[in-house]
Amino acid sequence: MSALTAPDAATPDATAASAAAPPRPAFAQDWRRIGRMGAVAVLGQFFISLSNMPVRLDGRTIIEGLLSLGYLTLVIVPFAVGTRVGHQVRREGVPYHAAGAHEVVGGAVIGALAGGGLSLLAILIANFDIREPLVNWSPILADLLAFGRGTAFAVVIWLVIGAAIGATGGLLRVLPGVARRVLWTMVLAVFGAAVLEALVEDLAEGMHIDSVTDWFYASRGGLTVTGAVVLAAGSGVLAFVGRGRVRRARARVELLEGAARSKANLVLILATAAVLIVLPMFAGKLTNELLANVGLFVLLALGLNIVVGLAGILDLGYVAFFAVGSYSAAVLTAATSPRIHPELPWFVALIGVVVLTGLVGLFIGAPVIRMRGDYLAIVTLGFGEIIRLLFLSDWLSGWFGGSQGITNIPGAQIFGLAEVSGTDPRSVFYLVLAFCAIAIYVSWRLERSRIGRAWMAVREDETVAEAMGINTVNVKLLAFVVGAVLGSFSGAIFSAKVGSVFPASFLILVSIVILVVVIFGGMGNIVGVIAGSAVLIGVLGGPKQPGLLAEFSEFKLLIYGALLVWMMLARPEGLIPSVRRTRELHQEEMAQDAWLRGQTEDDDHGNGADASRPAGESA
């Protein structure tokens, strides 16, 4: 009988020992990699600077007298490459070197290269004038890079700052996990408080605690130094004391099953609903307007999430359903509608809006639903633009007003008890919240139904789904119609909120922004879609809607594009992904890890068996 038996499962200690390796020597760097990353960092610094972002954002203060949002954009690149240069891909069975001086030295070198890009730019601006092709090549940028002290100072200071920031990024890999988590919490708390300044002050005014915010925030904007220190210290203490507790609480909830899990979910939903209902009561007009805008995009994103996230249909013309919902509600409720003006109550008109939008969804979906991939995306993009041009055309101007649109649209009458209009953003938010609750419930029920499983099967592999007996045409068409109906809800509320609709409000850019929200938040996950809308629309704003950072208005598309590229490369499953979607995207990596783990365990067992075998005994 062979001395070799089936290998036992490796213990965590044994697995960790097999993968552990000593730190690498400090100067044993991959200089070619550093050179490549340094060149990319220099180009990135040039691009950020010449996009005029530092100059335009310099007026937004993060910490009074110390840091502005403009300078923050210049130090992001050294920090990013400093943390990335020591990155190692973790694989089961592959040695993973412990972090040490190697990461700090590498971060300092590549950070100095990134800072050197700004030094080089300061020299070039001082000696050459090429403002004809590069309009932002200006003395204002040169003065900002030099801190108002001349070119020589700019050359030296950015080399020093770049090396220091890059070394800090590398140092984060050396610190223990607890210290790293505490530092990140402190940084995010200070940055978040500065970004949310308008929201915090608005809420404080509603709660009559203005004196607290006056102490934290400077009169000209941004945190005071004392306020930043207190906030950082407090958040750091909370992060240290509460380390692991949130994770353990979430793990306990995830382990619950049956009635206990349903009860925990119900408590969480009720608590969230209570916060969303009470919060607008203490908020001012600014906060309620922001919440209403975010809610409209949440409603749109939930509809697109069914089409893209569950069914896997890349629809780039989703704005068409938003436009149809808005124009249908306007025609059915406004007295100024050109040809027909039945002036129906809003909720009665909503029935017609749902029917008309569902028919448009069938009309658009039926001829293109058999297409796949890029062909389907291009055709839906075309249909979205066709719908907008039809509303703009003189041919249908007798129905929809052409370029003049439809104005004087009345607010939404809530069963004769109240009227929801743009003059009262709080009531608009409550109406949006009610429809978001309906959309969330419908999405949740559909996802767990037979049709939801069919959608996900089509998303994973349409050919296999068809072979298993799923009518893929009907399934995809139903996804189109459901997504269209949810999008029409947002359009109907939008027309009542704004009081007018114009073709210019339904550009193809709206579809792109909603798609970015779904991808960023997490395709196929309702919570992720809501989080993506809150972060992107709430902070940066929509295509024409302002966010908390109004200074980013001309850079929104640039940031959307950068976030989309980063998500595709680093986290394709999204900010808060669904478990199923994560497994789909990382199936190959998990299979590779399992194979490597099996190889390592076989090797370890084989070596142990040989060592324990008496001399002369054969296997």
Side-chain angles (χ1 to χ4, degrees):
M1 180 179 179
S2 171
L4 294 176
T5 59
D8 298 329
T11 63
D13 293 339
T15 303
S18 65
R24 291 168 291 188
F27 292 95
Q29 304 287 339
D30 185 351
W31 298 108
R32 289 186 178 180
R33 183 168 185 261
I34 288 179
R36 290 194 301 268
M37 292 183 66
V40 172
V42 170
L43 292 176
Q45 295 288 61
F46 270 65
F47 179 79
I48 291 174
S49 300
L50 296 177
S51 69
N52 207 35
M53 192 180 294
V55 174
R56 292 299 300 271
L57 301 182
D58 190 46
R60 181 65 180 261
T61 305
I62 301 296
I63 302 176
E64 184 185 25
L66 292 180
L67 181 64
S68 71
L69 199 57
Y71 281 107
L72 184 62
T73 61
L74 295 176
V75 300
I76 284 177
V77 173
F79 180 78
V81 294
T83 56
R84 190 68 184 174
V85 70
H87 174 72
Q88 303 175 62
V89 179
R90 295 197 181 211
R91 290 286 186 268
E92 292 288 343
V94 177
Y96 184 85
H97 292 278
H102 177 274
E103 280 70 22
V104 179
V105 172
V109 172
I110 200 167
L113 290 175
L118 297 178
S119 301
L120 176 60
L121 182 60
I123 295 173
L124 293 175
I125 293 177
N127 292 278
F128 300 96
D129 184 9
I130 52 175
R131 295 186 67 179
E132 187 65 30
L134 301 174
V135 294
N136 297 321
W137 188 281
S138 66
I140 300 176
L141 176 60
D143 189 62
L144 184 139
L145 293 176
F147 298 87
R149 300 188 181 184
T151 305
F153 181 81
V155 172
V156 176
I157 194 63
W158 281 112
L159 289 172
V160 174
I161 291 176
I165 296 294
T168 303
L171 184 62
L172 286 178
R173 294 188 171 276
V174 182
L175 296 176
V178 175
R180 188 162 55 243
R181 184 169 58 251
V182 169
L183 285 176
W184 272 116
T185 303
M186 293 167 67
V187 171
L188 292 177
V190 172
F191 179 73
V195 169
L196 301 177
E197 180 180 355
L199 180 63
V200 172
E201 289 185 339
D202 195 41
L203 290 173
E205 184 178 354
M207 297 178 183
H208 304 290
I209 53 174
D210 309 47
S211 57
V212 177
T213 56
D214 291 342
W215 188 82
F216 272 97
Y217 292 106
S219 58
R220 295 187 176 181
L223 291 165
T224 62
V225 176
T226 307
V229 171
V230 171
L231 186 62
S235 60
V237 170
L238 290 176
F240 181 78
V241 172
R243 65 186 187 278
R245 295 187 180 182
V246 175
R247 185 179 301 173
R248 288 195 297 270
R250 189 173 68 176
R252 286 197 297 269
V253 171
E254 291 177 350
L255 290 174
L256 296 176
E257 295 181 356
R261 179 65 179 270
S262 300
K263 183 179 179 180
N265 290 337
L266 181 61
V267 170
L268 182 60
I269 291 171
L270 292 177
T272 305
V275 171
L276 291 175
I277 292 173
V278 173
L279 180 64
M281 298 179 183
F282 297 95
K285 190 172 182 179
L286 172 67
T287 303
N288 283 311
E289 181 70 25
L290 183 68
L291 290 173
N293 289 333
V294 171
L296 287 173
F297 275 88
V298 167
L299 198 51
L300 286 169
L302 287 170
L304 188 61
N305 183 55
I306 289 178
V307 180
V308 178
L310 294 183
I313 305 170
L314 184 55
D315 184 2
L316 297 182
Y318 188 72
V319 69
F321 307 128
F322 182 45
V324 171
S326 297
Y327 268 96
S328 300
V331 168
L332 294 175
T333 60
T336 54
S337 177
R339 180 162 296 181
I340 60 171
H341 35 80
E343 299 183 54
L344 298 175
W346 190 82
F347 271 104
V348 176
L350 188 63
I351 299 173
V353 169
V354 170
V355 173
L356 288 172
T357 311
L359 292 175
V360 172
L362 286 172
F363 174 77
I364 294 177
V368 305
I369 208 67
R370 294 182 183 275
M371 299 180 180
R372 299 185 186 183
D374 299 338
Y375 301 101
L376 178 60
I378 293 170
V379 172
T380 55
L381 177 68
F383 269 110
E385 192 66 7
I386 287 171
I387 294 294
R388 185 186 69 84
L389 292 175
L390 285 175
F391 287 130
L392 181 63
S393 67
D394 294 334
W395 179 48
L396 294 177
S397 61
W399 292 87
F400 305 114
S403 60
Q404 304 300 318
I406 302 175
T407 58
N408 296 326
I409 302 172
Q413 295 289 339
I414 309 299
F415 304 114
L417 301 175
E419 181 176 344
V420 175
S421 62
T423 56
D424 185 8
R426 181 182 301 166
S427 62
V428 175
F429 171 69
Y430 282 136
L431 181 62
V432 172
L433 183 63
F435 276 91
C436 283
I438 295 172
I440 290 170
Y441 180 74
V442 170
S443 300
W444 176 70
R445 293 291 295 175
L446 286 173
E447 183 181 353
R448 285 157 177 77
S449 66
R450 180 185 295 272
I451 187 64
R453 292 192 292 272
W455 282 338
M456 288 182 278
V458 170
R459 181 190 66 194
E460 293 175 18
D461 195 317
E462 186 174 345
T463 304
V464 174
E466 191 171 8
M468 295 298 293
I470 296 175
N471 190 330
T472 56
V473 173
N474 290 348
V475 164
K476 290 163 69 176
L477 197 57
L478 182 60
F480 243 92
V481 173
V482 174
V485 170
L486 294 183
S488 71
F489 289 158
S490 182
I493 298 172
F494 174 78
S495 64
K497 172 181 180 292
V498 178
S500 59
V501 289
F502 301 97
S505 301
F506 308 106
L507 300 175
I508 203 68
L509 178 61
V510 178
S511 292
I512 304 301
V513 170
I514 301 169
L515 182 61
V516 172
V517 166
V518 173
I519 294 174
F520 178 78
M523 288 194 297
N525 189 14
I526 297 173
V527 178
V529 168
I530 297 172
S533 301
V535 172
L536 293 183
I537 306 303
V539 176
L540 297 177
K544 294 185 178 181
Q545 295 79 15
L548 289 173
L549 289 178
E551 294 85 357
F552 276 102
S553 58
E554 64 178 281
F555 304 111
K556 282 189 289 192
L557 297 182
L558 174 62
I559 297 172
Y560 283 148
L563 281 175
L564 197 58
V565 171
W566 180 78
M567 293 300 293
M568 292 296 97
L569 294 176
R571 195 176 174 86
E573 63 270 26
L575 192 65
I576 306 178
S578 64
V579 177
R580 184 188 296 270
R581 183 66 176 166
T582 303
R583 288 173 179 171
E584 289 175 21
L585 292 172
H586 296 280
Q587 184 177 7
E588 184 177 347
E589 296 178 13
M590 290 188 290
Q592 185 181 17
D593 288 348
W595 178 80
L596 287 170
R597 189 187 304 115
Q599 290 290 104
T600 304
E601 290 173 357
D602 288 345
D603 291 343
D604 290 344
H605 180 80
N607 293 336
D610 291 341
S612 62
R613 189 180 300 124
E617 183 178 345
S618 171

